[in-house]
Structure formats: C-alpha cells, structure tokens
Amino acid sequence: MIINISERLAQRSAPFDAGRTATHEVGHWMNLRHIWGDGGCNVDDFVGDTPSSNGANYGCDLGTEACGSVDMVQNYMDYSDDACMKPLHRRPKKIECVPCLKAEDTDQVC
C-alpha cells in the first residue's frame, strides 16, 4: 500500500485533525475491531477490558451508556473526535522492584 502523506496532511480538518484517524486505521491493520465489536451489545471486540457497546460514539460525550456499561468514548477504536481520544493507560510514575527467591534447581537470578 502506498499513501501520499503530503496529500493526506493537506486534507486534515477538525475534529479529526490530530492524527487519531491514522491510529484507528493502524488498529484495524492489527485486526482490532471497533469498540462495539462491529455488531452490537452481544458482539465482542475481542479485547477483554472493553465494555460492551451498541454502536459508534461521535463528538466527546463521556457519559454515554450502552449495554449496561459506560462506553469507552476515549478509545482510539471508536469514532469520537480526535481531541477526545486519549491513551487509556498511563505509565507508572515509579516502578518498584519486587525481590524474588532463586529457585534451587535453576540458574535464574532475580
């Protein structure tokens, strides 16, 4: 696949002008489905931490409820505005080391 980046950048316009559409499409390339599983409440997106949804969300309505749970409107695999989409997980501020014991029958060093 060949994509002319200069043409695509010239076509960007709000509310889809922050590059999230590219992230969304790369998600499809990696076999990710939309948050509604491309079906409805009983169709899975095959990602364990995504609550069920019955369809796309537009804009940035963070209180949208469907299928008995709050939709993940900020998920890159929805149709929300780019400004609404945020990383869902942040890196920990501090990583703590957890000591482990060396197993006697291995050369594992912790």
Side-chain angles (χ1 to χ4, degrees), residues 6-72:
S6 61
E7 284 182 21
R8 297 291 179 211
L9 291 176
Q11 296 174 4
R12 296 185 316 168
S13 61
F16 306 108
D17 58 348
R20 304 299 194 237
T21 301
T23 305
H24 176 98
E25 295 307 324
V26 168
H28 285 308
W29 181 76
M30 295 172 53
N31 292 322
L32 292 175
R33 288 179 149 185
H34 296 111
I35 66 165
W36 60 95
D38 298 326
C41 291
N42 296 321
V43 180
D44 194 6
D45 73 343
F46 304 115
V47 178
D49 67 349
T50 310
S52 294
S53 180
N54 63 352
N57 293 288
Y58 301 93
C60 194
D61 185 3
L62 299 177
T64 302
E65 291 187 29
C67 308
S69 61
V70 177
D71 281 358
M72 292 180 85

